[in-house]
Amino acid sequence: MDGGPNGGWGAIRPRFHGTKRAMAPLVLKGLALSVVTLGVYRFWYQTDVRRFLWNNVEIDGDALEYTGRGLELFIGFLIALGVLIPLYGGAALLGIAAGAFGPLVNVAVSLLVVVLAQYALYRARRYRLTRTIWRGVRLQQTGSGWAYAGRSLGWLIVAVLTLGLAYPWMRASLERFKMRNTWYGDQQGAFDGTGGQLFRKGVLLWLFAVVVGLGSAAAFLGVHYAASQQDLAAGRTAAAAGFFTVTFYLALFVTFPLLNAIEFRWWANACRIGPARAECDLGLFAFLKTYLLFFGALLLLGLALAAAGGAVFAGGAFAGLVDFERAPSPIVIVLGLALYLGAALGASALWQLIGARGLWRKSFESVAILGLADLAAAQSATPPANAFGEGVADALDFGGF
Amino acid sequence: MGLSGPASYFDGVTSRRRPVLVALDDTGLRLSESDGAAPQLWPYSLLREVAGPPGALRLSSQSAHALARLDVRDAALAAAIRARAPSLAAGERAERGLRRRVALWGCAAAVSAGLFAVYGLPALADRIAPLLPWSVDQRMGEGFDAQIRFLLPTGDGDFECGAGDGEAAGKAALDALTTKLSDAAALPVPLKIVAVRSSIPNAFALPGGYIYLFDGLIREAETPDEIAGVLAHEIGHVAHRDGSRRVLQASGLSFLFGFVLGDFSGGAATIFVARVLSEASYSRAAESDADLYAVRLMRRIGADPRALGTMLDRLVAESKSKDGADVEKDRDGGSALDYLSSHPAVAERRRAIDAAAGDAPARPALDAAAFAALKTICGPETADEGS
């Protein structure tokens, strides 16, 4: 399977060498510094995480390189603020001035934010690609961010109107746009997946989610009706509704990673760069396993924190420091905050170490690259992009890795 | 000269990997390819280390293409290069220095933002709130009013008391009291005082003249002036525009911490702490100001200003005797009479009220019949079952 260095006539499988143990110090340090600096350090933390993820990916014997810098992300964020603050301020003033038309203004502003978000995501992708180097040649993205944003807004509207049924075609169209504008040096990318393929692969799971969703909604309404009628059987109906709701969330929890895996496999199989193409054999349950591991670890963390908190409060109450009948004392508030912070930081660290790292590893290791030996690229002359898109994405709270 | 070893070289122009032999010369690295091309020299002083795969040294040189890379996987060779090129460590030192400055300045920014949240924002809100037109208060109140009617848990029946069977007389009494207080206060906005069907002993005001008097508090009252006093206190909050001030402060806070500083783990906790601190810093003053306003307003309608203090005392005693009495926490933008947290020094407040009240003769704000009717505005006494 694995071709030797530079001798890959057959399929070449990327490998990921980053262990949890190697990643833990940078995650813990980055999170701690992000908290004490009220988030200012997060750009450098994010850069460290990306560098770790990129540098540990080895393709045909050579590791990826991430050349982005924390300072660039920080500056991109500041510029984004310069754009977004007047925008939000103007929208707020307009909303007050519009009076009865306020809701209309709100809708318009929300649409604008959706478009801006899509634009930012596209630009952020460009930043990441132009900071990615393999064998001394940089990746590149062309194409207008606004064209992408317009296209994605149109598709979003269609997808909402069709209850998500148009989603596969939306994905295919947007991925075509993205991949055609993706370059490895002078080698252009392409995407030959179709919406129909994705639809056929995912429609059963989609139907399942819809049926369970509608069922639990019906059960929920039913219990409300029963409660309003003071029905004798209300208790039983409530139990049934509870059961349905739990089933719904469980089903959603299971179907989401499955759909993700289906989608990733479809996507990777359809990607091309120059003469190179990918073959993906990601298992249906591969992503689900990662999520399960993450939630298992989260559960353990929760239990540990609850035990620690319980012990401290019980000790405090025993010592007379904590009096539950009075207003919470500063000590209690501080302890509660410490627990909360521990939980938030712990969850975030676990997500990076188990969730994000696991999904990243599986994404690369499930792919075999064909025709890599023929991929001889020359450096593209286009300069790297700035981090404005990353900044907007961060300010709107949906930054990626 | 000495040491040499193999490495991978990428010229930064094409994606071809070229195996090279690296020799450590006096002035730099000499890279020789097997095809016999003229060797390159990378001077030690121009070498830079870039982030490479674990266990390997990845170099770039300022004398070569910006993306040209040399991957050295031979540990002995890598160590020898590090020993000869102090600029590698210098680059790392510079990066670490930058990180340290970011962390330090970030901490400083955090402290400064915290101080601004606790001292700056309340002061700013104090200056801005009086400049806003009253219509802004009214519009805010309208919005919160709709939310509160939707969110606040109430007993069986309408949110607002006074429309049910046998409640009309109570409603008339409340309206009479409202008119009396409203005429004396002469605010630029009309007062909308509503009796809320809830057994919690509470009352609060929203911006723009919305005041909520809970049935639980009406039932605790023993004289009409106690109710009038509580209402006068809430009218004080409306007149001083404390609700708008809180809204300004809260939105300033969420802007400062949620938007400018960005969302991160623990961000919500930070906002919570900042909010508690900044509210505590001024809510005491706002409460005693509202008390003094209430004293003046009660004087103006000829009622007994001291009744407010009596009522405060009774409510505190009540909440202490009831195990874990669930006093509803204040809502956004509302300034609640929350006797547990933001009204800590009731004895002190009572002293201040008594001192300001003086000894002028007083006549009850409502006659006995009207007061009896007001007590049943949310239905007859027996309806009080949930405590």
Side-chain angles (χ1 to χ4, degrees), chain B:
Chain B
M1 309 259 181
L3 202 58
S4 68
S8 301
Y9 169 65
F10 304 97
D11 62 9
V13 179
T14 70
S15 64
R16 201 159 66 86
R17 172 173 54 198
R18 293 140 80 162
V20 289
L21 190 72
V22 177
L24 275 68
D25 274 3
D26 290 337
T27 53
L29 301 177
R30 189 156 41 86
L31 320 179
S32 330
E33 291 186 62
S34 53
D35 62 4
Q40 288 190 55
L41 188 77
W42 281 18
Y44 292 124
S45 58
L46 298 180
L47 287 183
R48 295 287 176 265
E49 181 173 4
V50 293
L57 174 64
R58 179 172 279 176
L59 296 171
S60 73
S61 166
Q62 289 176 319
S63 66
H65 191 284
L67 295 181
R69 297 289 185 261
L70 188 69
D71 278 10
V72 182
R73 289 185 184 267
D74 182 328
L77 185 62
I81 295 174
R82 281 186 200 282
R84 299 208 182 185
S87 62
L88 296 190
E92 200 184 324
R93 262 203 305 279
E95 173 69 16
R96 222 181 292 152
L98 174 70
R99 296 286 179 111
R100 199 170 306 134
R101 279 202 302 281
V102 166
L104 283 177
W105 280 109
C107 285
V111 170
S112 129
L115 289 177
F116 180 68
V118 174
Y119 299 107
L121 272 179
L124 212 59
D126 280 354
R127 304 292 182 287
I128 294 175
L131 301 179
L132 291 176
W134 277 92
S135 60
V136 173
D137 286 51
Q138 276 175 301
R139 204 165 297 158
M140 268 195 274
E142 234 169 82
F144 291 132
D145 178 62
Q147 279 179 32
I148 276 171
R149 282 170 190 265
F150 182 69
L151 291 173
L152 208 65
T154 51
D156 292 340
D158 291 341
F159 171 87
E160 187 176 340
C161 296
D165 290 337
E167 298 178 357
K171 173 91 171 117
L174 182 63
D175 286 347
L177 186 57
T178 302
T179 312
K180 206 168 184 179
L181 287 165
S182 174
D183 288 347
L187 294 183
V189 288
L191 290 175
K192 298 175 200 67
I193 300 180
V194 164
V196 179
R197 201 177 303 278
S198 164
S199 56
I200 300 163
N202 197 8
F204 64 90
L206 292 179
Y210 290 83
I211 292 172
Y212 303 84
L213 182 63
F214 286 50
D215 185 34
L217 192 140
I218 298 176
R219 290 187 196 281
E220 291 289 338
E222 286 172 6
T223 68
D225 287 0
E226 290 176 358
I227 292 178
V230 168
L231 287 177
H233 172 95
E234 297 305 333
I235 295 171
H237 282 309
V238 173
H240 298 148
R241 313 182 77 174
D242 289 333
S244 323
R245 224 178 291 186
R246 272 164 90 119
V247 171
L248 282 176
Q249 215 174 314
S251 35
L253 265 183
S254 42
F255 178 77
L256 188 64
F257 288 101
F259 195 55
V260 174
L261 295 171
D263 196 35
F264 59 95
S265 309
T270 317
I271 295 181
F272 174 76
V273 174
R275 200 169 158 176
V276 168
L277 287 177
S278 74
E279 276 185 8
S281 72
Y282 96 112
S283 75
R284 220 176 253 237
E287 293 310 325
S288 48
D289 285 352
D291 284 346
L292 292 181
Y293 181 94
V295 168
R296 286 196 301 275
L297 188 58
M298 291 292 278
R299 271 269 153 275
R300 226 171 293 155
I301 64 168
D304 180 14
R306 269 175 293 219
L308 174 60
T310 321
M311 188 72 186
L312 287 176
D313 258 357
R314 178 157 343 109
L315 287 168
V316 170
E318 189 72 14
S319 75
K320 270 187 187 155
S321 72
K322 265 188 208 167
D323 241 10
D326 184 22
V327 177
E328 188 72 5
K329 282 274 178 214
D330 48 1
R331 306 258 159 208
D332 267 351
S335 43
L337 269 178
D338 183 338
Y339 301 98
L340 287 186
S341 62
S342 57
H343 293 242
V346 167
E348 198 181 308
R349 283 176 65 192
R350 187 165 187 192
R351 265 196 300 281
I353 291 170
D354 288 347
D359 275 328
R363 200 163 40 80
L366 288 175
D367 60 38
F371 180 57
L374 181 56
K375 294 277 283 182
T376 61
I377 188 170
C378 294
E381 203 76 36
T382 49
D384 185 16
E385 84 300 3
S387 57

Side-chain angles (χ1 to χ4, degrees), chain A residues 32 35 70 104 167 217 235 237 244 246 268 377 379 381:
Chain A
V35 166
L104 220 64
Y167 175 78
T237 331
F244 260 106
V246 169
Q379 194 76 263

Side-chain angles (χ1 to χ4, degrees), chain A:
Chain A
M1 277 277 286
D2 283 17
N6 247 17
W9 294 108
I12 286 159
R13 205 168 268 272
R15 275 191 300 210
F16 182 72
H17 301 291
T19 58
K20 284 197 253 324
R21 191 184 287 268
M23 194 185 189
L26 78 90
V27 167
L28 294 178
K29 180 187 152 205
L31 281 173
L33 281 175
S34 295
V35 166
V36 294
T37 59
L38 284 184
V40 174
Y41 192 78
R42 72 184 182 281
F43 307 102
W44 282 266
Y45 164 52
Q46 207 172 26
T47 301
D48 283 346
V49 167
R50 285 185 193 170
R51 203 175 276 164
F52 177 86
L53 292 176
W54 263 244
N55 286 342
N56 280 294
V57 172
E58 181 191 310
I59 303 172
D60 195 17
D62 293 309
L64 293 184
E65 181 180 331
Y66 179 74
T67 59
R69 293 167 51 83
L71 196 61
E72 290 170 347
L73 290 183
F74 183 53
I75 291 170
F77 172 73
L78 292 181
I79 297 173
L81 278 190
V83 172
L84 288 177
I85 290 177
L87 184 76
Y88 275 112
L93 286 180
L94 208 66
I96 292 173
F101 295 104
L104 220 64
V105 170
N106 285 341
V107 170
V109 169
S110 312
L111 278 181
L112 190 66
V113 168
V114 168
V115 171
L116 197 63
Q118 294 302 318
Y119 169 80
L121 283 176
Y122 194 73
R123 289 283 302 255
R125 184 177 183 269
R126 185 161 129 200
Y127 173 86
R128 284 195 291 270
L129 284 177
T130 56
R131 296 302 185 281
T132 303
I133 294 173
W134 183 62
R135 291 187 167 164
V137 170
R138 207 176 51 215
L139 283 120
Q140 181 64 263
Q141 178 180 284
T142 51
S144 146
W146 294 119
Y148 178 82
R151 195 181 260 244
S152 59
L153 179 69
W155 272 112
L156 272 176
I157 292 170
V158 174
V160 168
L161 289 181
T162 56
L163 292 179
L165 273 178
Y167 175 78
W169 285 274
M170 164 175 130
R171 267 306 296 264
S173 164
L174 294 179
E175 289 310 320
R176 237 184 337 264
F177 186 92
K178 281 193 265 189
M179 284 308 292
R180 271 185 200 155
N181 284 304
T182 299
W183 301 76
Y184 172 59
D186 60 352
Q187 299 293 300
Q188 189 173 14
F191 187 80
D192 56 15
T194 64
Q197 294 167 345
L198 180 59
F199 180 79
R200 278 193 295 282
K201 286 179 176 142
V203 68
L204 272 179
L205 276 177
W206 179 85
L207 270 178
F208 175 68
V210 167
V211 166
V212 178
L214 286 181
S216 79
F220 184 72
L221 289 179
V223 88
H224 258 253
Y225 177 74
S228 68
Q229 298 292 303
Q230 303 269 336
D231 201 319
L232 280 178
R236 248 184 298 154
T237 331
F243 175 74
F244 260 106
T245 314
V246 169
T247 323
F248 172 64
Y249 283 113
L250 274 180
L252 212 61
F253 173 75
V254 172
T255 39
F256 178 72
L258 296 187
L259 276 172
N260 253 358
I262 291 173
E263 220 176 298
F264 178 77
R265 198 168 157 170
W266 164 79
W267 175 81
N269 273 321
C271 283
R272 315 251 171 287
I273 287 186
R277 64 187 186 83
E279 250 172 29
C280 180
D281 56 7
L282 184 76
L284 182 60
F285 299 100
F287 286 170
L288 179 64
K289 276 182 207 154
T290 302
Y291 280 104
L292 285 176
L293 273 178
F294 167 62
F295 279 104
L298 207 58
L299 199 68
L300 285 180
L301 174 78
L303 287 176
L305 281 177
V312 166
F313 276 105
F318 193 69
L321 284 172
V322 182
D323 184 351
F324 289 103
E325 291 175 12
R326 289 235 198 88
S329 71
I331 306 171
V332 176
I333 294 177
V334 166
L335 279 177
L337 278 174
L339 277 179
Y340 169 82
L341 219 62
L345 287 185
S348 184
L350 287 177
W351 170 249
Q352 288 293 347
L353 292 172
I354 298 176
R357 195 191 61 90
L359 295 178
W360 179 263
R361 183 172 69 82
K362 285 179 176 167
S363 304
F364 276 97
E365 293 192 342
S366 67
V367 163
I369 305 173
L370 299 166
L372 200 58
D374 300 325
L375 178 64
Q379 194 76 263
S380 134
T382 327
N386 65 29
F388 174 68
E390 292 266 10
V392 175
D394 184 275
L396 297 176
D397 290 335
F398 52 74
F401 279 107

